[in-house]
Structures are given as structure tokens and as C-alpha cells.
Amino acid sequence: MLLSNLETVPGRTVVEFFGLVSGSTVRAKHAGRDIMAGIKNIFGGELIAYTELLKDSRDEAIDRMIRQAQGMGANAIVNIRFSTSSVAQGAAEIYVYGTAVRVQ
Amino acid sequence: MPLETLFQFINLAFIIVPIIIGLVVGSLVERRHYRSIRRRETDTMAQPAVPLGLSALSGVTIERAHLVTGSTVVAMDAFKAVLAGLRFLFGGRVGGYESLIDRARREATLRMKVAAGDADAILNVRLETFAIGGRFGGSGALTSVEAVAYGTAVWVGSGPKR
């Protein structure tokens, strides 16, 4: 599956459009990570556990979007956008969407 | 009575000590992070990451392209959190937040470049930020921020680069 956040896949011609595909996931941080993050909030710096958590969530959302596109018979997704929203204290929703197309 | 005073002192220490640690360690961490960011930005200058589409590479054949992302979560130290809290009383520029978000965005961009490997350029770069509330400094106060950078890494074919 070719992924791109441009309007096309560079160097390829789009032959068929399938429409919007999206994937989302809601993840909560667990208490252990929260305590570690609390300590890190004294010193400042990167919260590696959170970085990993959100990165994993984003990968999963992308996977779900890819599966939806595969189901349509697409071989590329263009114009991909990410968005994150806070659904509750300590939980985040990662949403990714794009346009499923077939390229040569 | 002396026992009560001792407890009060311990309570006070629980507030003061993190602030002092934050002031000392936090500023050290930030200075080191900025040094590292500036060094890597200079090192990766040859690989442009631009918020432009394909128009940036008109007349060039592109061999390969795929989506790349980079992200980080950066936390603010306790001292800056307290300073920011005071800022909300008086208003004005909140320097602690400015540097926090700046560091997160630049770090995310650098990680995106690492993910792009030997790509010639990254096009259509988008930056997203997401505030993560913490416990320190009251409920829901911003203490850390996530930045995500993403774009399409492109490898150009033979011919003039850029």
C-alpha cells in the first residue's frame, strides 16, 4: 500500500478513486506510566513512554485505514491527514484519514 | 506542637523541593536539548523538509515516495510550571510554554527526517500539536505537549536534485 500526504502518488497516475478511508483508535495511559510521567514533570524533558504510546496508536490507526482501503480494492492512499483529540482526562483519540485510490 | 510544625515543614518541602530541582535540572535539560536540536538541524540541512506540495520539485522525476512521521512528547519542569501559573494571574508572554512547544515541534521534525532516511526531500510537511494535561500545577494544566510532524518523503531520479 502506497501512502502519501500529497494529492497524488508522485511518479504514478491515479486511475480510479474509491473515496474517503479512515482509521481511529482511543488509547488511555495506564497508572504506572502516569506515575513515571509525574516524576518527569519535575525535571522536564521527553516523556518516552507517552511518545511510544502515541506512536503505537498512530500506527494502529494507519493499519485500520489501510485495511479499509484494501477492502475497497485500492492500492494507494493519498492526501493523508492526522488528527488527535482528547476524549477524556488521560485518554486520546488518534484519527487518520485519506483518499483511497488505484494507481498504475 | 513541635510535631505539627515538623509536619508543616515537611509539607512545605514537598512543594519547594520539586521547584528547586525543576529550576536546576530543568534548565540544564532544556539547554542540552536545544544544543542537540541545533546540531542535528545543521547536520540535516541538505535534506529540506518543506510545507510545499509537488510544485517545489517541478520538472524533476520522482522515483519513490512514501509517508513519513516523527513525534515526541516533551514535559515542562516544575519551576516553569509554577512560573506559568503565576503568568495566568498577571497575563503576558508565557516563555516556558513557548520553549516547550518549540522544542517539541523541532524534535518531531528532526525525527521525521530520520524516518525519511536518505530521501532527497520531504514535501507537504504538516505539524500538529496536542496538549497533554498532567497533575502538577493543578488539574488539567498543560504540563506536556505532543508534536507530530508528517510529510511525504521523495527520492528523485537522475537529473538535477531540487
Side-chain angles (χ1 to χ4, degrees):
Chain A
M1 185 68 66
L2 292 162
L3 302 175
S4 153
N5 81 334
L6 295 168
E7 278 173 29
T8 57
V9 179
R12 306 285 193 102
T13 325
V14 175
V15 288
E16 198 177 353
F17 274 99
F18 295 98
L20 189 78
V21 283
S22 63
S24 78
T25 177
V26 178
R27 292 275 185 103
K29 52 191 185 190
H30 67 68
R33 276 178 170 161
D34 216 21
I35 291 163
M36 280 309 293
I39 294 165
K40 208 59 192 275
N41 268 328
I42 294 170
F43 300 113
E46 190 187 2
L47 302 176
I48 294 161
Y50 283 9
T51 305
E52 292 291 311
L53 178 76
L54 287 161
K55 191 179 178 298
D56 287 350
S57 317
R58 201 161 288 114
D59 289 345
E60 192 183 336
I62 292 173
D63 270 353
R64 289 182 177 176
M65 178 180 70
I66 288 174
R67 250 176 285 153
Q68 196 189 341
Q70 277 167 344
M72 289 170 164
N75 65 357
I77 304 170
V78 296
N79 233 336
I80 293 169
R81 292 285 180 274
F82 288 106
S83 119
T84 314
S85 53
S86 167
V87 283
Q89 182 87 49
E93 190 215 16
I94 312 275
Y95 184 61
V96 55
Y97 57 101
T99 307
V101 293
R102 172 180 289 285
V103 293
Q104 274 174 340
Chain B
M1 207 52 161
L3 201 66
E4 228 170 78
T5 328
L6 185 71
F7 280 138
Q8 274 174 353
F9 182 74
I10 290 169
N11 266 340
L12 197 67
F14 265 107
I15 301 169
I16 301 293
V17 169
I19 293 173
I20 293 169
I21 294 173
L23 174 62
V24 177
V25 183
S27 52
L28 209 78
V29 167
E30 185 179 289
R31 261 208 303 274
R32 218 172 53 191
H33 192 197
Y34 263 126
R35 237 191 340 259
S36 145
I37 286 173
R38 274 195 294 267
R39 181 174 47 77
R40 284 177 293 155
E41 275 177 351
T42 316
D43 289 350
T44 58
M45 210 97 96
Q47 184 185 52
V50 290
L52 290 167
L54 281 173
S55 58
L57 284 178
S58 55
V60 176
T61 47
I62 292 163
E63 280 190 337
R64 199 151 66 88
H66 74 75
L67 188 78
V68 284
T69 61
S71 70
T72 183
V73 179
V74 183
M76 191 151 70
D77 62 67
F79 179 70
K80 285 220 184 74
V82 170
L83 273 192
L86 287 176
R87 264 284 171 240
F88 290 126
L89 290 177
F90 304 112
R93 203 168 69 94
V94 192
Y97 283 10
E98 287 180 350
S99 68
L100 178 77
I101 299 167
D102 180 51
R103 277 160 68 197
R105 287 207 180 109
R106 286 162 77 174
E107 180 69 42
T109 309
L110 286 165
R111 288 187 186 178
M112 176 185 68
K113 284 186 170 187
V114 170
D118 63 345
D120 291 301
I122 306 168
L123 300 180
N124 213 4
V125 174
R126 294 277 182 277
L127 281 159
E128 292 249 335
T129 47
F130 178 60
I132 297 167
R135 282 174 182 168
F136 206 91
S139 59
L142 171 80
T143 51
S144 48
V145 68
E146 193 211 19
V148 188
Y150 62 101
T152 304
V154 292
W155 285 260
V156 302
S158 51
K161 277 189 180 179
R162 289 240 303 156

